[in-house]
Amino acid sequence: MKNLFLLAILFVTIPTFAQQKWQGKFEQLDQILPTPNSYRSASGAPGVNYWQQRADYEIDVELNDETQVLTGKETITYTNNAPEPLRFLWLQLDQNNLSKDNETDKIKTNRIRDSIPAKFFPLAGDTYGYDGGFKIKSVKDALTGKDLTFLINHTMLRIDLPTAMKTGDKYAFRIEWSFVEKDRLKFSERGGYEYFPEDGNYLYAIAQWFPRMCVFDDYEGWQNKQFLGQGEFALAFGNYRVRLTVPSDHIVAASGVLQNPKTVLTKEQNERFETAKKTFDKPVFIVTEEEAKKKEKDRSKKKITWEFYAENVRDFAFATSRKFIWDAMAVKLNDKTPLAQSMYPKEGNPLWAKESTMAIKNTLEIYSARTLDYPYPTAFSIHTADQGMEYPMICFNGGRPNKDGTYSQATYEGMVGVIIHEVGHNFFPMIVNSDERQWSWMDEGLNTFLERETKRERYPNVNISWGSPKGMSRYMRGDKNNMRPLMWGSDNIPRGDFGPNAYGKPAAALTLLRETVMGPELFDKAFKEYAQRWAFKHPKPADFFRTMEDASAVDLDWFWRGWFYTVDNVDLELDEVKWFKVKAEQKGLENKNVKAKAGDLAADTKAKEKASDFNNGPQEFTMINTPDNSYGEFKNKINDSDVRKKLADKNLYEITLKNKGGLVTPVIIEWTFKDGSKEIEIIPAEIWRVNETEVKKVFMKEKEVVNVVIDPNGATGDINLTDNVFPKKADETKFDQLKKN
Ligand SMILES: [Zn+2]
């Protein structure tokens, strides 16, 4: 061992022990991750005793199109699967985020500038006279009808149970409430209505509209952190039966399957609806633009009730308007044929008729292949101005053409992008049900990654720079004081950092993981394993980190540590490349008692001189015979002369790399040879295990190298590619030329 080790050092690395800057970048995350237990296993899978709560809803709600008031009553049947008793329950009252004394406005910081558009003045909301928030009329025991004691803490509602719920108990209670829906023009919130002054009609996108159960789990008990606006939702699974009473000429989309099409649709619409369910090549119109335009004028005063049923969803949203055009088509996913459906006002055309339902189909196909076959029977995309927001089986998406029907490439790309993204959210976090209030990257990041993959495979004309390592390098180059690590509470991320933090950086990290660190085959297998293990369950970050390793045999603790727990960036410098050749065979190499040390291998003075190009030709070094004392107990010897002969014509290159950004990273080396040919080599990040700041490595090449570039395509997200080139002079010349131009 000892002797071999010595030789290995002599030939492969010239020791660089001068620096001792190490931070344990490859140490395991043992102390940082939660201790595995029987609920969440060390493999990253749900443990043998994994449990989760369940909340089933039966809701009746009526929308008043004159006053924009929603009035509802719900019966929630809550099942306690926790191994501990519960004496009270927590529900979410998200509308209270806009009530008179809401906490969000109190803790918001703002300032006055020389001129501010009225709409964007921070306190403009106070002038609208909007009376937001839930009005809770009653909370009763569903069986006895008796009032239950409850208290409201801003966006959280606590209900005291008459008797504690033991493990396995079910308890049903009834809540009656109402609230005034908000104008989305005035409040940039998720959900609300849009008013169209030209025809006097409304388009409602209704979300967070009923008191919803909080999650109670093994990880933190009740997730009852206040809704402050940025950190989204944590919700339990259940079945929903929802009856929506709306004006009789409205068309309604919702989370779930329509239960009474014969009652709410005309005979002709019903026939078209049935045709759509069997049509796989293009969308079928159920309500045409002409039909929708006609309804805009003859406004019905009658009411009708649409009934929907949704199984195993974590939420329920709906959209309703008489302005809706409606098209749909079936999508084939192995043994499943979900219905892709779009609803949009005429203001969305011609873009929406052409692109929306096809984008749903593309999303379901690509995401299903990477995770699990889309398990729900339907997927809606609804056109709403200037937003993108997701709910189970339904999402609200912007992307509106100009008045004359023309639209820019940016509008087209934005519209297709937002539909893929929001439909994609069905997988993360609707099915793989993570806690959005705490970890934004777990849904936004994973989803943005697959959104890019969908565009890459289905929309080659769409720009997918955002969310790639190269596309995010500008952000990563920025002031680290303005950034937060990905492992950061959603509401504690500065507003300006939220987009890159929750979406772009995690997507770039996953792309780097797939393309460079793990390779597509291993990554896709592990990613799919995560999605399938945690479908219809509540995963936490460690479950993702552990599963990705468990399913791939790739130690990724260094990757999670660097990309998820720090704000470091990838910034390598190719410090120098030295070119060597073995000195031709000569006499006097039989140094039986020579003391082997680095200086004997290469002319010390020359080796120490800094190389800036290949112009001086190769430096020669002497390969002496292996000293006898290096053989230890072995009686046999290697043939030194043979080794020398084999290496005689080879070009040996010693590369020095510096890690300036802090993130350890795979090293992608592009060699360009004298004959113009190129070779790409990928060195795993583990090259930085022992020295995290500087490494040297020797490469053997048949052909003469004229140029070396580290990460030629920016695939690692290196924030400064100009110092990744050798010879440096060539780079400087290029740079000078650029400057002159
Ligand atoms: Zn999103």
Side-chain angles (χ1 to χ4, degrees):
M1 278 296 268
K2 211 175 173 185
N3 286 348
L4 275 175
F5 182 61
L6 178 67
L7 283 170
I9 286 184
L10 290 176
F11 279 96
V12 181
T13 56
I14 307 299
T16 50
F17 292 146
Q19 287 167 305
Q20 288 193 327
K21 288 183 203 158
W22 45 264
Q23 294 169 18
K25 292 179 195 285
F26 287 90
E27 292 311 299
Q28 297 296 288
L29 288 170
D30 290 357
Q31 299 90 337
I32 295 171
L33 298 185
T35 309
N37 53 42
S38 67
Y39 308 126
R40 287 166 202 276
S41 114
S43 68
V48 287
N49 294 321
Y50 177 83
W51 56 270
Q52 66 190 23
Q53 306 295 66
R54 177 176 182 87
D56 297 301
Y57 295 75
E58 181 137 3
I59 312 178
D60 289 273
V61 69
E62 183 169 338
L63 168 68
N64 186 323
D65 193 32
E66 306 297 322
T67 60
Q68 286 74 55
V69 171
L70 265 99
T71 309
K73 51 177 193 266
E74 66 180 347
T75 302
I76 301 180
T77 306
Y78 190 68
T79 309
N80 181 22
N81 292 319
E84 63 191 282
L86 295 176
R87 291 192 300 106
F88 51 84
L89 307 176
W90 281 104
L91 285 87
Q92 313 183 53
L93 302 176
D94 313 90
Q95 293 294 334
N96 287 4
N97 191 36
L98 288 177
S99 64
K100 281 272 178 292
D101 66 338
N102 73 77
E103 280 199 322
T104 306
D105 284 337
K106 284 181 189 159
I107 62 171
K108 207 174 265 168
T109 56
N110 38 41
R111 53 174 293 205
I112 290 179
R113 291 185 172 79
D114 286 348
S115 80
I116 308 171
K119 179 170 160 37
F120 301 110
F121 180 65
L123 308 181
D126 294 352
T127 68
Y128 301 145
Y130 173 60
D131 184 20
F134 280 114
K135 310 279 181 285
I136 303 291
K137 194 176 155 201
S138 69
V139 181
K140 290 177 192 298
D141 183 300
L143 204 66
T144 65
K146 277 192 184 150
D147 283 335
L148 294 171
T149 308
F150 68 92
L151 76 81
I152 294 171
N153 174 10
H154 297 285
T155 63
M156 292 291 157
L157 166 71
R158 175 181 144 148
I159 298 177
D160 290 348
L161 295 166
T163 49
M165 288 182 79
K166 295 192 295 291
T167 306
D169 279 359
K170 282 181 193 296
Y171 180 68
F173 57 98
R174 205 170 287 154
I175 303 179
E176 290 181 282
W177 78 93
S178 66
F179 72 94
V180 187
E181 189 51 288
K182 65 209 147 294
D183 184 348
R184 292 193 40 248
L185 183 70
K186 294 175 180 163
F187 300 94
S188 70
E189 293 287 326
R190 303 164 183 84
Y193 66 79
E194 179 181 3
Y195 176 68
F196 293 79
E198 282 187 4
D199 53 74
N201 286 299
Y202 293 83
L203 188 165
Y204 299 89
I206 312 276
Q208 293 89 239
W209 57 279
F210 56 97
R212 308 183 293 176
M213 288 305 307
C214 292
V215 168
F216 181 84
D217 68 13
D218 61 286
Y219 195 78
E220 63 176 344
W222 285 108
Q223 167 46 298
N224 53 6
K225 289 184 178 60
Q226 295 290 332
F227 176 49
L228 299 174
Q230 187 160 283
E232 293 191 305
F233 311 108
L235 296 152
F237 285 109
N239 297 344
Y240 285 70
R241 186 169 295 280
V242 181
R243 287 174 288 268
L244 305 157
T245 301
V246 296
S248 66
D249 54 355
H250 272 211
I251 293 290
V252 182
S255 304
V257 176
L258 179 60
Q259 300 296 299
N260 58 344
K262 296 237 158 65
T263 313
V264 295
L265 304 180
T266 65
K267 188 164 174 288
E268 193 177 22
Q269 286 168 346
N270 252 304
E271 283 165 10
R272 294 169 178 173
F273 192 39
E274 289 307 314
T275 308
K277 291 176 187 170
K278 287 170 259 157
T279 305
F280 291 88
D281 59 338
K282 62 175 193 311
V284 172
F285 282 95
I286 300 158
V287 177
T288 66
E289 182 164 335
E290 285 317 305
E291 290 160 354
K293 275 183 185 164
K294 188 172 177 299
K295 280 198 285 182
E296 285 183 355
K297 287 172 200 137
D298 17 287
R299 270 172 245 165
S300 170
K301 292 278 174 218
K302 286 187 216 144
K303 291 174 190 171
I304 200 162
T305 301
W306 293 58
E307 184 174 329
F308 289 87
Y309 182 67
E311 247 172 44
N312 223 2
V313 288
R314 61 171 236 162
D315 198 2
F316 192 102
F318 66 97
T320 179
S321 179
R322 64 174 58 85
K323 287 173 68 69
F324 277 150
I325 300 160
W326 179 10
D327 74 53
M329 72 187 279
V331 181
K332 182 106 190 80
L333 300 169
N334 295 312
D335 60 339
K336 297 189 172 70
T337 54
L339 191 64
Q341 311 189 64
S342 298
M343 288 187 188
Y344 39 93
K346 64 176 188 301
E347 285 77 6
N349 269 339
L351 191 52
W352 276 72
K354 207 170 120 202
E355 299 289 348
S356 177
T357 298
M358 290 308 285
I360 302 173
K361 172 185 149 76
N362 286 327
T363 308
L364 295 185
E365 287 174 352
I366 300 294
Y367 276 66
S368 293
R370 295 294 186 85
T371 57
L372 62 154
D373 285 344
Y374 183 66
Y376 293 132
T378 187
F380 277 103
S381 162
I382 311 300
H383 177 41
T384 54
D386 266 331
Q387 80 165 341
M389 191 54 206
E390 68 278 8
Y391 300 93
M393 300 186 228
I394 188 170
C395 51
F396 308 144
N397 304 310
R400 188 166 290 177
N402 302 317
K403 251 188 169 171
D404 63 359
T406 60
Y407 52 86
S408 63
Q409 176 71 10
T411 301
Y412 159 76
E413 290 193 10
M415 179 259 195
V416 164
V418 77
I419 293 176
I420 295 170
H421 183 94
E422 307 309 342
V423 172
H425 268 308
N426 272 297
F427 294 85
F428 308 98
M430 302 305 154
I431 297 163
V432 180
N433 188 348
S434 58
D435 176 356
E436 299 175 277
R437 184 136 317 157
Q438 181 62 35
W439 311 115
S440 291
W441 66 265
M442 288 194 79
D443 65 299
E444 298 300 354
L446 269 56
N447 184 40
T448 302
F449 164 70
L450 281 186
E451 174 200 335
R452 269 193 86 249
E453 291 292 281
T454 306
K455 288 177 185 166
R456 189 167 66 81
E457 293 201 22
R458 295 291 166 87
Y459 296 90
N461 56 338
V462 163
N463 184 321
I464 54 167
S465 171
W466 171 256
S468 69
K470 193 180 183 183
M472 296 313 295
S473 63
R474 216 184 111 174
Y475 162 73
M476 298 288 283
R477 200 185 300 140
D479 183 353
K480 288 180 183 179
N481 287 314
N482 296 334
M483 301 174 190
R484 301 294 184 275
L486 301 185
M487 289 295 290
W488 209 256
S490 186
D491 283 304
N492 306 333
I493 300 167
R495 199 83 189 103
D497 191 40
F498 191 70
N501 182 299
Y503 301 70
K505 182 179 164 183
L510 294 174
T511 304
L512 171 63
L513 206 51
R514 181 176 193 268
E515 306 300 327
T516 309
V517 177
M518 301 172 78
E521 196 185 3
L522 277 177
F523 177 91
D524 291 350
K525 244 189 161 48
F527 193 80
K528 194 174 214 169
E529 182 70 28
Y530 167 71
Q532 297 192 349
R533 280 178 176 182
W534 290 97
F536 299 109
K537 295 190 172 71
H538 299 294
K540 308 293 175 185
D543 303 319
F544 177 70
F545 297 155
R546 287 173 168 144
T547 295
M548 291 301 286
E549 297 188 344
D550 184 55
S552 68
V554 184
D555 179 0
L556 296 170
D557 283 38
W558 63 270
F559 189 85
W560 312 131
R561 192 184 275 282
W563 278 89
F564 285 72
Y565 288 90
T566 78
V567 292
D568 286 348
N569 52 45
V570 174
D571 184 11
L572 296 189
E573 182 190 352
L574 177 53
D575 189 45
E576 66 171 332
V577 182
K578 283 201 167 92
W579 179 17
F580 291 99
K581 278 201 167 180
V582 180
K583 204 177 267 181
E585 192 85 37
Q586 52 188 290
K587 285 183 182 173
L589 296 175
E590 302 284 336
N591 288 318
K592 277 189 180 146
N593 296 314
V594 78
K595 214 176 161 197
K597 62 175 198 283
D600 294 322
L601 295 177
D604 225 1
T605 45
K606 263 194 180 177
K608 273 181 189 160
E609 269 170 36
K610 188 136 182 168
S612 58
D613 56 38
F614 297 116
N615 291 346
N616 294 334
Q619 297 178 38
E620 290 193 321
F621 69 93
T622 311
M623 190 170 281
I624 58 169
N625 288 344
T626 311
D628 285 348
N629 59 9
S630 300
Y631 286 108
E633 295 179 341
F634 284 100
K635 297 298 175 203
N636 199 2
K637 291 183 179 180
I638 65 157
N639 188 328
D640 293 309
S641 174
D642 260 12
V643 175
R644 264 193 300 274
K645 273 181 203 149
K646 290 261 164 62
L647 288 171
D649 304 321
K650 303 287 191 280
N651 297 289
L652 299 162
Y653 295 95
E654 180 203 272
I655 280 188
T656 306
L657 282 168
K658 287 185 174 163
N659 175 5
K660 300 198 297 188
L663 274 191
V664 285
T665 184
V667 182
I668 305 173
I669 310 174
E670 182 194 73
W671 305 92
T672 305
F673 301 102
K674 208 173 178 180
D675 63 5
S677 61
K678 284 178 193 289
E679 181 198 347
I680 295 266
E681 245 175 302
I682 300 182
I683 308 296
E686 281 79 357
I687 191 174
W688 303 99
R689 286 169 96 105
V690 176
N691 190 328
E692 297 159 3
T693 52
E694 183 177 325
V695 291
K696 287 182 189 288
K697 189 171 175 64
V698 175
F699 296 83
M700 183 165 72
K701 302 288 169 195
E702 297 287 334
K703 296 189 274 189
E704 246 179 61
V705 170
V706 292
N707 194 262
V708 184
V709 183
I710 304 300
D711 193 10
N713 303 313
T716 66
D718 194 314
I719 61 158
N720 177 15
L721 294 171
T722 60
D723 61 2
N724 289 22
V725 184
F726 190 91
K728 292 198 177 279
K729 269 181 193 163
D731 179 54
E732 275 162 21
T733 317
K734 254 191 247 163
F735 185 68
D736 287 344
Q737 274 173 357
L738 269 173
K739 241 167 101 180
K740 270 174 211 156
N741 291 343

